[in-house]
């Protein structure tokens, strides 16, 4: 109705009078941005009275009334708690300022149209493996192990795909890595120190058809083959290895500042990770064949510390150096290299895992129980996620386009199947009001309509469609188009007028809305800017712009 | 997706560190509510430095850093402008305090179940006729004339029904009015002064079957019949009148404080209102038959002032008195009464108008063009409003239950028809996603789904159903039930997490959401509390409570 306006005006009138009086009396209400700073009193100190501020009639805060400046000053601690505004003192050229931030989260305005062969959204800024919920990088698979919903750890397809996509994107955006060959089996390098009851030879290996290092040590603890090195700055170690069970390659890291030595043992075992004091063990498998391992030593060290509940440290990359490599047991070694990064090896580790782990229906089941929301049945281990499927397609499409290996393309195509199976039948597809398809990140009953996971799924569909040939009328293209219709239709329902909803659980469960915290909101905005480059429906760009404004405190108008 | 958490944590981490430092350094972040007020320095004045606050990197405000208190103080003028928080200084027992108000608007918690024979929602607090968009009260119809969408003025059924419902509700909640009979035609009262060329008689009137006053004056300007009175405090005048065209009854008001006289002329003419200087004219029609007029003299005076663009005045009821009544022309008069209120007369004026103005299809067309929203075709004059229909039913149901006159009941039943005609066919019914019925306050194409007007329509349906007999399976009951299903389904879509949407235009037009300002939000909350008494689905009460919390600054959680 439009008719209570007068009544409201009566109420508002009283308030307006108050505000007006306030404005007139204290002068610069609504005028603060144009006030020359420090123009009233530049000397240290002002006359100001304490005044009790009654907040909504509920509690009191001590404020200050400045009669000289004709304003009441409220403590920022109140603003922070009441509105979740962030503030901090910064110092520039010796001058302290107070920075008021409405939100955190960064918006990336795309410089060019999204390309399924290029970086994946803004993932070059992601570092999956440092996340707390990554237990460690598997020594056998080279992909992260998640503890997000199960402290034992499990392979979470979404996380693994993000790991791959982040490294792929970093590969495309970062400078060429520094690489230093420690030993490629070809040159005789004298530095290896072989204890009396051990041996090391350099010999031609018929399987790998190249010269390699072969080593063997006795059971005696002092029996070792080791190499002293002194490498700072770069910490990604890669090597071709073939070792008998329980044999190991140990990389020793030393803190340059204080007496601290960390031993990273890469052991021919099936154990995921084990750590005691300064010794951290990663199983790299027991298969008797040559394989390449690629390890970020700093990540491996930090995950060992976390396993022992030791505090995370700041910038360990600056404080440590690689001081030696120790071989123990029996095995072969080749192409030992230290690099500043090996993003493509890590990307392909993810892509290969996805090919190996894919099930018959084309899905990657999540082996952990997931409690999504109160009032909704848990997702039992083995559930599928549209986001996993979409992210996996994005990895596989890139792996195919880069390598030409059709295995990746076939796996990507198979991944579509689960997306078309309704959640109630074990798939991930929901329908909004029996009409609009939604690929569910969490296929609950009733559906939740999580926004960001849906858009990531759409990107996977787009990637596959483009990789298959942009003019093809593929299944991926149809599913993408259907999803975009849903998105453009339902997008307004995610608008709070000052932010965005993470999902539509308030509609499907009838509960309090689930507001997206600022980083998810920023993800929404980044995703919409990306999609606005693929689809010229103005709702995408308009929504992206409006939602970006919300991050600086702008709000939708009220009537 | 759930996986950017770490990345966010990195960003948030930096901020958290800042906030944490801030908290540690300045001590009472998040602790302000428990801080004993004025405990730090109770003397006048504190040492405080100016510090420039940079707001979202966009503009600067001069704040104050208090090292003694370890906090930064920001001007309330900023908080007011940035967040639309209201603030004012109040004085209690000589102590000044600053009152911070998150919102305006009042919530009424119902004390008993809503009764269609009782007050209409919270309308006893409404005063329709004082609204700026009420041009005046028609002298012929006794109902308000709206200028809301047409400055010429028109009969707006919603406003007329609200006028009736407000007076009905006031009748039930206010004390019995004071009434003073000025002249009922029976007693010989000497006070009437009759000029030489005029006459006045007291005689039996066969039509009204009672004694009345008959008067006649000549064309000469000094020819008058007048009565000196001295009535303060009460200003509702009622009288039975029958006058020849251009004859008039003039009520003279005098300002008790200053020399100011206002002449309210009630003229046997068809002119709505005319005002010049201190003379204000209302046409009361030219039909030659007895009729009762009921006039709020103060309202009539104020509307005359507004017509001349004179400023509104505060509490004129305290400043004026009725000083005389003047008759001119030829006519009869009876039952001249001054009361503190005549709510039921005003209520029946509205009910009678609704019966007379109803069209064949049972609707009350709105004769003004209505521009509802950008991007939507205007509603051409003659449009119907579900809210008008619902409000009219609420008036008619009460008129029937009070009077027993089935004319009202028949009109109420006829009013259902328009509610069941789709907007595209000239009615007011919309369907959400082809499924859920919505009675549209503004039947635009596409629909807007205005919330408060829909709920008012539901109340009309409920009123009719109950008046017809609560156990009847009436059409009204079915339409109410269908509407309640829609409401309980779609209600969450109106939740912003910190307020409510006025409508769903963001969904149907793809535009920025239309947030309900606080008085509409309060209306939503009051309506939901009322409905929660009629329907025990917890979504009604839970939403009402959550939305009431938003008015004190509470917000839905973010993830």
């Amino acid at each position: 109705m439009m008719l209570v306006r007068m009544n409201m005006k009566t109420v508002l009138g009283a308030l307006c009078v108050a505000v007006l009086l306030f404005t007139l009396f204290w002068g610069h209400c609504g005028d603060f941005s144009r006030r020359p700073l420090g123009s009233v009193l530049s000397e240290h100190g002002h006359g100001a009275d304490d005044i009790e501020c009654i907040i909504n009639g509920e509690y009191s805060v001590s404020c200050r009334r400045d009669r000289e400046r004709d304003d009441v000053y409220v403590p920022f601690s109140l603003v922070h708690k009441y509105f979740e505004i962030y503030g901090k003192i910064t110092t520039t050229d010796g001058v302290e300022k107070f920075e008021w931030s409405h939100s955190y989260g960064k918006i990336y305005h795309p410089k060019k149209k999204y390309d399924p062969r290029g970086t994946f959204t803004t993932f070059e800024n992601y570092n999956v493996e440092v996340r707390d919920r990554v237990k460690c990088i598997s020594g056998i698979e080279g992909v992260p192990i998640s503890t997000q919903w199960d402290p034992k750890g499990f392979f979470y397809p979404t996380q693994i795909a993000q790991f791959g996509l982040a490294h792929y994107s970093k590969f495309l955006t970062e400078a060429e890595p520094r690489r230093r060959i420690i030993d490629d089996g070809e040159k005789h390098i004298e530095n290896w120190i072989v204890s009396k009851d051990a041996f090391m030879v350099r010999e031609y290996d018929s399987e790998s058809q190249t010269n390699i290092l072969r080593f063997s040590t006795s059971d005696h603890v002092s029996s070792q083959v080791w190499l002293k090195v002194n490498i700072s700055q770069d910490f990604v170690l890669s090597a071709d290895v073939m070792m008998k069970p329980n044999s190991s390659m140990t990389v020793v890291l030393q803190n340059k500042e204080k007496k601290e030595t960390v031993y990273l043992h890469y052991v021919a075992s099936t154990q995921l990770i084990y750590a005691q004091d300064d010794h951290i063990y990663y199983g790299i498998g027991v298969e008797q064949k040559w394989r390449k391992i690629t390890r970020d030593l700093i990540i491996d060290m930090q995950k060992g510390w976390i396993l022992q509940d030791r505090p995370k440290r700041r910038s360990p990359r600056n404080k440590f150096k690689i001081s030696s490599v120790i071989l123990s047991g029996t095995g072969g070694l080749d192409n030992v290299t230290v690099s500043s990064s090996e993003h493509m090896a890590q990307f392909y580790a993810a892509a290969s895992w996805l090919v190996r782990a894919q099930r018959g229906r084309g899905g990657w089941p999540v082996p952990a129980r997931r409690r999504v929301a109160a009032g909704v049945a848990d997702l039992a281990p083995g559930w599928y996620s549209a986001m996993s499927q979409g992210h996996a397609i994005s990895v596989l499409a890139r792996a195919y386009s880069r390598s030409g290996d059709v295995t990746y393309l076939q796996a990507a195509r198979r991944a579509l199947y689960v997306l078309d199976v309704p959640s109630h039948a074990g798939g991930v597809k929901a329908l909004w009001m029996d009409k609009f398809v939604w690929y569910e990140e969490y296929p609950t009953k009733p559906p939740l309509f999580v926004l960001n996971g849906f858009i990531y799924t759409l990107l996977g569909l787009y990637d596959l469609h483009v990789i298959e040939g942009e003019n093809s009328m593929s299944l991926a293209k149809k599913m993408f188009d259907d999803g975009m219709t849903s998105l453009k239709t339902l997008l307004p329902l995610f608008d709070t007028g000052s932010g965005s909803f993470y999902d539509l659980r308030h509609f499907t469960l009838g509960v309090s809305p689930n507001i997206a915290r600022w980083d998810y909101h920023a993800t929404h905005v980044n995703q919409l800017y990306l999609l606005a480059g693929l689809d010229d429906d103005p709702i995408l760009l308009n929504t992206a712009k409006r939602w970006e404004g919300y991050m600086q405190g702008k709000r939708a108008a009220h009537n």
Side-chain angles (χ1 to χ4, degrees), chain A residues 249-251 262-267 273-282 297 299-308 310:
Chain A
M249 172 174 71
T250 299
V251 182
V262 177
Y263 301 87
L264 295 171
H265 305 282
Y266 299 98
V267 188
I273 181 172
Y274 172 72
Q276 192 167 28
D277 303 328
D278 296 323
H279 293 269
I280 301 163
Y281 301 83
Y282 286 88
L297 303 171
I299 294 290
D300 282 350
M301 177 170 70
Q302 283 188 314
K303 298 301 180 184
W305 285 337
I306 289 164
L307 209 67
Q308 298 175 82
R310 292 212 238 162

Side-chain angles (χ1 to χ4, degrees), chain A residues 354-366:
Chain A
L354 288 168
V355 168
R356 283 197 302 281
Q358 192 175 31
R359 296 292 170 85
R361 292 212 297 183
W364 289 273
V366 182

